[in-house]
Amino acid sequence: MCTGTLLRPDVMLTAAHCVVTLSGSVITQRLTPAQVTVIADALSMDGATDEQRFAVAAITAHERYPANSNMGDDTSVGRHEEDLCLLRLARPITTLPVATVLPVAMADTALSAGTRLSVSGYGARRLEAGMP
């Protein structure tokens, strides 16, 4: 099970390692859209049970994942920087109160000092830290 972030009502960002099957550090299978289901509202903080499932129409993993390099370790599956995947949903998520689209600033977006930003993700907060 993996988490994701809605970039548009029909596009979710997740990790590339979520759409592969591994045997040790070797990818043995890349999942097809028919093998992946997005479940929305499954973990709402208020205990809501309005869980909905969304079929995936297309999977686009980062072109360099796996890169056979993970922080200098040549035996691992892929680099953290390239562990990205976009899921295009067969229908948009529009009816769930907890499913909101995260606005994304483009690389050329000018941000002034003091601009409030949102961060989405999980994992280590520092290179030497473990998972929270």
Side-chain angles (χ1 to χ4, degrees):
M1 179 184 296
C2 290
T3 62
T5 300
L6 280 178
L7 301 180
R8 294 189 333 213
D10 65 334
V11 176
M12 179 168 282
L13 173 68
T14 191
H17 72 259
C18 296
V19 296
V20 297
T21 301
L22 302 173
S23 175
S25 62
V26 176
I27 292 178
T28 58
Q29 177 186 14
R30 294 183 185 276
L31 300 180
T32 66
Q35 295 171 297
V36 179
T37 301
V38 170
I39 301 172
D41 201 26
L43 300 175
S44 66
M45 298 300 287
D46 64 0
T49 58
D50 188 19
E51 176 180 300
Q52 292 186 29
R53 294 174 180 263
F54 294 82
V56 173
I59 299 172
T60 306
H62 191 285
E63 62 189 19
R64 289 192 307 263
Y65 184 86
N68 293 326
S69 173
N70 187 354
M71 308 302 274
D73 178 359
D74 289 335
T75 65
S76 62
V77 174
R79 295 169 47 95
H80 293 296
E81 296 88 355
E82 296 156 350
D83 191 7
L84 303 169
C85 180
L86 296 175
L87 303 177
R88 186 170 50 81
L89 306 180
R91 63 184 172 99
I93 298 175
T94 58
T95 59
L96 297 171
V98 298
T100 57
V101 173
L102 181 70
V104 177
M106 302 310 290
D108 60 351
T109 302
L111 299 173
S112 58
T115 300
R116 290 186 171 265
L117 302 173
S118 296
V119 177
S120 177
Y122 68 96
R125 292 184 211 121
R126 296 180 304 280
L127 183 58
E128 63 277 353
M131 300 295 251

